[in-house]
């Protein structure tokens, strides 16, 4: 029973090289992804959900410091500053955003709207934003199947 369940799980997630299995796996993958996308659409893709997230992060300004002090060093981040500048090193990222903060304090910020965007992005950049997605992708016939001790860990942002 466990082996059969694991085989179905593997089939749902991908194929084993057999052409018939490939077609079935692609069909299963499409059904699985379609179901997850529909659930995400219903639960998360509407104005009230977006406003709820904005309110949550707006009410927690200390998340910015938490992201810079704890999360940046723990995960791999890529911050696109311009077409030519991509920051990937934790110290560079911290330095860039600390310069931005000092620039704002001295009246040299990059514009009020961009300051707000940077601030909210830093508050949101920690993994708590992923917490809403886990209940949607976790379940007996979903991507993360606890019955097989499957889990997901974010390592990049």
């Amino acid at each position: 029973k466990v082996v059969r369940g694991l085989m179905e799980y593997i089939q749902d997630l991908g194929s084993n090289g057999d052409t018939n299995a490939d077609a079935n796996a692609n069909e299963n993958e499409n059904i699985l992804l379609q179901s997850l996308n529909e659930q995400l659409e219903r639960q998360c893709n509407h104005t009230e959900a977006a406003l709820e997230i904005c309110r949550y992060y707006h009410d927690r300004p200390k998340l910015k410091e938490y992201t810079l002090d704890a999360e940046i060093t723990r995960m791999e981040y890529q911050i696109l500053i311009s077409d030519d500048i991509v920051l990937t090193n934790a110290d560079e990222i911290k330095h860039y955003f600390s310069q931005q903060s000092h620039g704002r304090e001295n009246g040299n910020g990059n514009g009020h709207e961009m300051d707000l965007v940077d601030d909210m992005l830093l508050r949101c950049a920690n993994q708590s934003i992923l917490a809403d997605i886990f209940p949607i992708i976790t379940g007996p016939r979903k991507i993360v199947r606890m019955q097989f001790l499957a889990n997901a860990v974010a390592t990049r942002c």
Side-chain angles (χ1 to χ4, degrees):
K1 182 177 176 177
V2 172
V3 171
R4 186 176 62 243
L6 284 170
M7 294 302 292
E8 288 174 6
Y9 181 44
I10 292 167
Q11 188 176 20
D12 285 348
L13 296 177
S15 72
N16 64 8
D18 180 304
T19 20
N20 289 334
D22 283 344
N24 290 337
N26 288 336
E27 185 178 313
N28 287 340
E29 181 180 351
N30 290 336
I31 291 169
L32 181 63
L33 291 177
Q34 182 179 358
S35 169
L36 293 173
N37 285 334
E38 287 170 1
Q39 194 171 356
L40 281 169
E41 184 75 26
R42 270 192 320 275
Q43 293 180 11
C44 301
N45 193 15
H46 52 82
T47 305
E48 187 53 41
L51 289 172
E52 186 178 325
I53 288 173
C54 287
R55 282 190 294 269
Y56 176 88
Y57 287 105
H58 180 267
D59 293 345
R60 291 164 175 80
K62 293 188 185 258
L63 283 176
K64 175 182 173 183
E65 289 81 24
Y66 175 78
T67 296
L68 290 173
D69 293 341
E71 294 289 338
I72 296 293
T73 57
R74 194 169 63 82
M75 291 180 65
E76 292 180 34
Y77 282 86
Q78 291 186 354
I79 310 292
L80 180 65
I81 303 301
S82 69
D83 288 342
D84 300 328
I85 301 172
V86 178
L87 302 178
T88 57
N89 177 283
D91 291 331
E92 290 175 341
I93 293 168
K94 285 174 144 181
H95 180 72
Y96 173 80
F97 285 108
S98 99
Q99 276 188 319
Q100 294 299 98
S101 293
H102 293 308
R104 274 179 286 223
E105 291 166 8
N106 298 327
N108 300 324
N110 56 1
H112 182 66
E113 293 83 12
M114 286 308 295
D115 292 344
L116 291 173
V117 169
D118 286 351
D119 194 62
M120 283 300 277
L121 284 175
L122 286 171
R123 292 180 195 193
C124 297
N126 69 66
Q127 286 187 29
S128 66
I129 201 165
L130 298 174
D132 293 337
I133 196 84
F134 279 106
I136 294 171
I137 66 171
T138 302
R141 299 292 302 163
K142 296 182 180 177
I143 293 173
V144 180
R145 298 182 185 180
M146 298 306 291
Q147 69 267 33
F148 300 125
L149 303 177
N151 62 30
V153 177
T155 59
R156 295 181 188 188
C157 183

